[in-house]
Amino acid sequence: MNVLILGNGGREHALALKVSESSLCTKLYVAPGNAGTETIAENLSFEGNENLLELISRKEITFVIVGPEKYLVDGTVDFLRSNNIIVFGPGKDAANIEGDKLFAKKVMSDNNVPTAKFIEFSNSSSKEDIYYYLKKQKYPIVIKANGLAGGKGVSICKNIYDALDAVLLNFDEKAFGEASNKILVEDFLEGEEASLFIISDGEDYVCLPAAQDHKRIGDNDSGKNTGGMGAYAPADIITLEVLKVIEETIVKPTLMGMKKIGIQFTGCLFCGLILTKDGPKVIEFNARFGDPETQTVLNVIDGDFLELLYSAAKGKINKESVKYNGGTSVCVVTASDGYPDEYQTGYEIFGLDHLKDMLVHVYHAGTQSKEGTVFSSGGRVLGVTSFVKEKNFAEAIKLAYRGVSKIHYENIYFRTDIGKRALR
Ligand code: AMP
Ligand code: GLY
């Protein structure tokens, strides 16, 4: 089949590489793609749904895989499906599990899915009520913008001053636009986090090996939240026993709960989990693969990944299409210094050729190529990702950082402790 992947990040480069290895893939396209995807697929550009549909028909594309959330929540998937295109990714109503945190909380509370307790305020709530509520709380607490905020809408508040700042950020500064119209004030949960990708055909599902992300910008999980500064897979804290609990208390009730209200989730349900002393709880759901977790998860599965996604999209998932391969993978994100705030781009990236012989994949995220030369073009620039065939985190970490040491561009920034948690 001719396959199109939508998106332009490190996740899409990793998806593209995995899909390109399938014998079912005849021709692969990525739109808009980046300097990495253009080395393994044809990058396409489009503007708007009609143009996309015309492109799909002209290139005889038979299957579309959606990377980022924007194409899910803006209805692109529904539009393509209504034009008889087979798509991997949930429609707008199901993608609300990510795009509307209050909807996600409702699905969870209706189906007894464990998550943090919360209260909702809107920008028309009285300031006195908010202040009174915040004053009564035990800190830390968590304040979240209700809508999509590119992973930046969560404030962990150590005291009431932080909490009032977070309220101001959303309601007065409208930092995340419409996403800031409502906020959730949530209990702070303690425990280790993990990301679990569930590939579902709407009813049945497959769990991919769990991963751990490194959300904060600084070493030892310090500083601001980012889209993710590195990851590793598998996450050993998700033992088979824990996974069973997660499936019974979170995955099945969520998928079935949505189905009960007429919402079929076909795609990747990303369970952002925290393992508390009272068991696993949901921090958030996403309706797509995670970035940079995908870069590691896809390295530790063997089999036909395209078959997995295609069978799910067709409504009858082939649960045998992939399996854990026993290996370990670590991804170190190299960013532009300043990210997640302001940063400069447009710097030439050196050293990519040196990595071709090493056991690392360099997934491109914010890159652009001009006449064969690759330049930085975003906050997260590359995901240098190792794979070792056995369970050996120390080796996988060493390999990934050896890869990073070969890369040079002006204002490169990366964390130096990715994967350390796995060594404990
Ligand atoms: P999110 O964008 O919802 O994944 O949140 C970003 C990060 O904020 C998470 O990965 C957690 O580290 C942290 N976080 C979010 N909600 C909570 C919570 N209720 N308790 C503790 N930490 C949280
Ligand atoms: N790495 C977290 C996310 O993709 O949302």
Short mmCIF file of all heavy atoms in Angstrom, two decimals, residues 155-186:
data_model
loop_
_atom_site.label_atom_id
_atom_site.label_comp_id
_atom_site.label_asym_id
_atom_site.label_seq_id
_atom_site.Cartn_x
_atom_site.Cartn_y
_atom_site.Cartn_z
N SER A 155 0.69 23.53 35.53
CA SER A 155 1.55 24.19 36.53
C SER A 155 1.49 23.38 37.82
O SER A 155 0.41 23.11 38.33
CB SER A 155 1.06 25.60 36.85
OG SER A 155 0.88 26.34 35.66
N ILE A 156 2.66 23.00 38.31
CA ILE A 156 2.74 22.34 39.61
C ILE A 156 2.97 23.47 40.62
O ILE A 156 3.97 24.18 40.54
CB ILE A 156 3.93 21.35 39.67
CG1 ILE A 156 3.95 20.43 38.44
CG2 ILE A 156 3.95 20.58 41.00
CD1 ILE A 156 2.94 19.33 38.42
N CYS A 157 2.00 23.67 41.52
CA CYS A 157 2.05 24.85 42.39
C CYS A 157 2.46 24.44 43.80
O CYS A 157 1.76 23.67 44.46
CB CYS A 157 0.67 25.51 42.41
SG CYS A 157 0.04 25.85 40.76
N LYS A 158 3.59 25.01 44.24
CA LYS A 158 4.12 24.63 45.56
C LYS A 158 3.41 25.37 46.68
O LYS A 158 3.44 24.96 47.82
CB LYS A 158 5.63 24.95 45.62
CG LYS A 158 6.47 24.03 44.73
CD LYS A 158 7.92 24.08 45.07
CE LYS A 158 8.76 25.11 44.35
NZ LYS A 158 8.57 25.48 43.00
N ASN A 159 2.81 26.51 46.35
CA ASN A 159 2.13 27.30 47.37
C ASN A 159 1.05 28.15 46.69
O ASN A 159 0.92 28.15 45.46
CB ASN A 159 3.14 28.20 48.11
CG ASN A 159 4.00 28.96 47.10
OD1 ASN A 159 3.48 29.52 46.14
ND2 ASN A 159 5.31 28.95 47.30
N ILE A 160 0.33 28.90 47.50
CA ILE A 160 -0.79 29.66 46.95
C ILE A 160 -0.34 30.73 45.94
O ILE A 160 -1.06 31.04 44.98
CB ILE A 160 -1.66 30.28 48.07
CG1 ILE A 160 -2.94 30.86 47.44
CG2 ILE A 160 -0.90 31.28 48.89
CD1 ILE A 160 -4.01 31.26 48.40
N TYR A 161 0.89 31.24 46.11
CA TYR A 161 1.37 32.28 45.18
C TYR A 161 1.54 31.69 43.77
O TYR A 161 1.15 32.29 42.77
CB TYR A 161 2.67 32.90 45.67
CG TYR A 161 2.53 33.44 47.07
CD1 TYR A 161 3.10 32.79 48.16
CD2 TYR A 161 1.77 34.59 47.30
CE1 TYR A 161 2.93 33.27 49.45
CE2 TYR A 161 1.59 35.08 48.58
CZ TYR A 161 2.17 34.41 49.65
OH TYR A 161 1.98 34.88 50.91
N ASP A 162 2.13 30.47 43.73
CA ASP A 162 2.25 29.79 42.43
C ASP A 162 0.86 29.56 41.84
O ASP A 162 0.65 29.70 40.63
CB ASP A 162 2.88 28.39 42.60
CG ASP A 162 4.35 28.44 42.95
OD1 ASP A 162 4.92 29.55 42.93
OD2 ASP A 162 4.92 27.36 43.26
N ALA A 163 -0.07 29.17 42.71
CA ALA A 163 -1.42 28.84 42.23
C ALA A 163 -2.09 30.09 41.66
O ALA A 163 -2.71 30.05 40.59
CB ALA A 163 -2.25 28.24 43.35
N LEU A 164 -1.93 31.22 42.36
CA LEU A 164 -2.54 32.47 41.86
C LEU A 164 -1.88 32.89 40.54
O LEU A 164 -2.57 33.36 39.62
CB LEU A 164 -2.41 33.58 42.91
CG LEU A 164 -3.28 33.35 44.17
CD1 LEU A 164 -2.93 34.37 45.25
CD2 LEU A 164 -4.78 33.42 43.84
N ASP A 165 -0.56 32.66 40.43
CA ASP A 165 0.13 32.95 39.16
C ASP A 165 -0.44 32.11 38.03
O ASP A 165 -0.64 32.60 36.91
CB ASP A 165 1.63 32.62 39.28
CG ASP A 165 2.40 33.73 39.97
OD1 ASP A 165 1.81 34.82 40.17
OD2 ASP A 165 3.57 33.50 40.34
N ALA A 166 -0.69 30.82 38.33
CA ALA A 166 -1.22 29.92 37.29
C ALA A 166 -2.62 30.35 36.86
O ALA A 166 -2.96 30.29 35.68
CB ALA A 166 -1.23 28.48 37.81
N VAL A 167 -3.42 30.82 37.82
CA VAL A 167 -4.76 31.30 37.49
C VAL A 167 -4.66 32.54 36.59
O VAL A 167 -5.34 32.65 35.56
CB VAL A 167 -5.57 31.61 38.77
CG1 VAL A 167 -6.88 32.29 38.44
CG2 VAL A 167 -5.82 30.32 39.57
N LEU A 168 -3.77 33.45 36.99
CA LEU A 168 -3.55 34.67 36.19
C LEU A 168 -3.11 34.34 34.76
O LEU A 168 -3.60 34.93 33.79
CB LEU A 168 -2.43 35.50 36.83
CG LEU A 168 -2.85 36.59 37.78
CD1 LEU A 168 -1.63 37.16 38.49
CD2 LEU A 168 -3.54 37.70 36.98
N LEU A 169 -2.16 33.39 34.68
CA LEU A 169 -1.61 32.97 33.39
C LEU A 169 -2.73 32.52 32.45
O LEU A 169 -2.75 32.86 31.27
CB LEU A 169 -0.63 31.80 33.64
CG LEU A 169 0.15 31.27 32.45
CD1 LEU A 169 1.29 32.24 32.12
CD2 LEU A 169 0.77 29.89 32.79
N ASN A 170 -3.67 31.78 33.00
CA ASN A 170 -4.76 31.26 32.17
C ASN A 170 -5.86 32.29 31.94
O ASN A 170 -6.25 32.54 30.80
CB ASN A 170 -5.37 30.01 32.82
CG ASN A 170 -4.50 28.78 32.59
OD1 ASN A 170 -4.48 28.23 31.50
ND2 ASN A 170 -3.76 28.37 33.60
N PHE A 171 -6.35 32.89 33.02
CA PHE A 171 -7.56 33.70 32.89
C PHE A 171 -7.26 35.15 32.49
O PHE A 171 -8.06 35.75 31.78
CB PHE A 171 -8.38 33.67 34.18
CG PHE A 171 -9.02 32.32 34.43
CD1 PHE A 171 -9.50 31.99 35.68
CD2 PHE A 171 -9.17 31.40 33.40
CE1 PHE A 171 -10.11 30.76 35.91
CE2 PHE A 171 -9.76 30.17 33.62
CZ PHE A 171 -10.23 29.85 34.88
N ASP A 172 -6.14 35.71 32.92
CA ASP A 172 -5.86 37.11 32.56
C ASP A 172 -4.97 37.19 31.32
O ASP A 172 -5.28 37.89 30.37
CB ASP A 172 -5.22 37.85 33.74
CG ASP A 172 -6.21 38.00 34.89
OD1 ASP A 172 -7.06 37.09 35.03
OD2 ASP A 172 -6.15 39.00 35.62
N GLU A 173 -3.88 36.41 31.36
CA GLU A 173 -2.97 36.47 30.20
C GLU A 173 -3.46 35.59 29.05
O GLU A 173 -2.94 35.67 27.94
CB GLU A 173 -1.56 36.04 30.62
CG GLU A 173 -0.90 37.05 31.55
CD GLU A 173 0.36 36.48 32.20
OE1 GLU A 173 0.99 35.58 31.62
OE2 GLU A 173 0.69 36.95 33.30
N LYS A 174 -4.41 34.70 29.32
CA LYS A 174 -4.92 33.75 28.31
C LYS A 174 -3.77 33.09 27.55
O LYS A 174 -3.72 33.07 26.31
CB LYS A 174 -5.87 34.46 27.34
CG LYS A 174 -7.07 35.10 28.05
CD LYS A 174 -8.07 35.61 27.05
CE LYS A 174 -9.15 36.48 27.65
NZ LYS A 174 -9.55 36.27 29.01
N ALA A 175 -2.82 32.56 28.35
CA ALA A 175 -1.56 32.07 27.80
C ALA A 175 -1.76 31.00 26.74
O ALA A 175 -0.94 30.87 25.83
CB ALA A 175 -0.69 31.52 28.92
N PHE A 176 -2.83 30.22 26.84
CA PHE A 176 -3.02 29.15 25.86
C PHE A 176 -4.30 29.37 25.05
O PHE A 176 -4.97 28.42 24.64
CB PHE A 176 -3.03 27.79 26.58
CG PHE A 176 -1.87 27.64 27.53
CD1 PHE A 176 -2.06 27.68 28.91
CD2 PHE A 176 -0.58 27.51 27.04
CE1 PHE A 176 -0.98 27.59 29.78
CE2 PHE A 176 0.51 27.42 27.91
CZ PHE A 176 0.30 27.46 29.28
N GLY A 177 -4.62 30.65 24.87
CA GLY A 177 -5.80 31.00 24.06
C GLY A 177 -7.06 30.38 24.64
O GLY A 177 -7.29 30.40 25.85
N GLU A 178 -7.87 29.79 23.75
CA GLU A 178 -9.15 29.19 24.18
C GLU A 178 -8.95 28.05 25.17
O GLU A 178 -9.84 27.77 25.98
CB GLU A 178 -9.90 28.66 22.96
CG GLU A 178 -10.39 29.76 22.06
CD GLU A 178 -11.73 29.42 21.45
OE1 GLU A 178 -12.10 28.24 21.46
OE2 GLU A 178 -12.38 30.35 20.96
N ALA A 179 -7.79 27.40 25.08
CA ALA A 179 -7.51 26.27 25.98
C ALA A 179 -7.52 26.74 27.43
O ALA A 179 -7.68 25.94 28.35
CB ALA A 179 -6.17 25.64 25.63
N SER A 180 -7.31 28.05 27.64
CA SER A 180 -7.24 28.61 28.98
C SER A 180 -8.61 29.04 29.53
O SER A 180 -8.69 29.52 30.66
CB SER A 180 -6.33 29.85 28.98
OG SER A 180 -4.98 29.49 28.89
N ASN A 181 -9.68 28.88 28.76
CA ASN A 181 -10.99 29.36 29.22
C ASN A 181 -11.46 28.66 30.48
O ASN A 181 -12.19 29.22 31.28
CB ASN A 181 -12.05 29.18 28.13
CG ASN A 181 -11.87 30.22 27.03
OD1 ASN A 181 -11.08 31.16 27.19
ND2 ASN A 181 -12.56 30.05 25.92
N LYS A 182 -11.05 27.39 30.62
CA LYS A 182 -11.39 26.64 31.83
C LYS A 182 -10.12 26.03 32.38
O LYS A 182 -9.22 25.66 31.61
CB LYS A 182 -12.37 25.51 31.51
CG LYS A 182 -13.76 26.00 31.16
CD LYS A 182 -14.65 24.83 30.84
CE LYS A 182 -16.03 25.32 30.42
NZ LYS A 182 -16.79 24.26 29.76
N ILE A 183 -10.06 25.93 33.71
CA ILE A 183 -8.91 25.26 34.32
C ILE A 183 -9.40 24.15 35.25
O ILE A 183 -10.54 24.18 35.73
CB ILE A 183 -7.99 26.23 35.10
CG1 ILE A 183 -8.78 26.94 36.21
CG2 ILE A 183 -7.31 27.21 34.18
CD1 ILE A 183 -7.90 27.71 37.18
N LEU A 184 -8.50 23.19 35.47
CA LEU A 184 -8.75 22.15 36.46
C LEU A 184 -7.74 22.37 37.58
O LEU A 184 -6.55 22.55 37.31
CB LEU A 184 -8.54 20.76 35.87
CG LEU A 184 -9.56 20.23 34.86
CD1 LEU A 184 -9.36 20.90 33.50
CD2 LEU A 184 -9.42 18.72 34.71
N VAL A 185 -8.22 22.37 38.81
CA VAL A 185 -7.32 22.41 39.96
C VAL A 185 -7.35 21.00 40.54
O VAL A 185 -8.40 20.51 40.95
CB VAL A 185 -7.78 23.45 41.00
CG1 VAL A 185 -6.81 23.48 42.18
CG2 VAL A 185 -7.89 24.83 40.37
N GLU A 186 -6.18 20.37 40.51
CA GLU A 186 -6.14 18.92 40.71
C GLU A 186 -5.23 18.55 41.87
O GLU A 186 -4.22 19.23 42.11
CB GLU A 186 -5.57 18.34 39.40
CG GLU A 186 -5.80 16.90 39.19
CD GLU A 186 -5.35 16.48 37.78
OE1 GLU A 186 -6.10 16.67 36.81
OE2 GLU A 186 -4.22 15.97 37.67
#
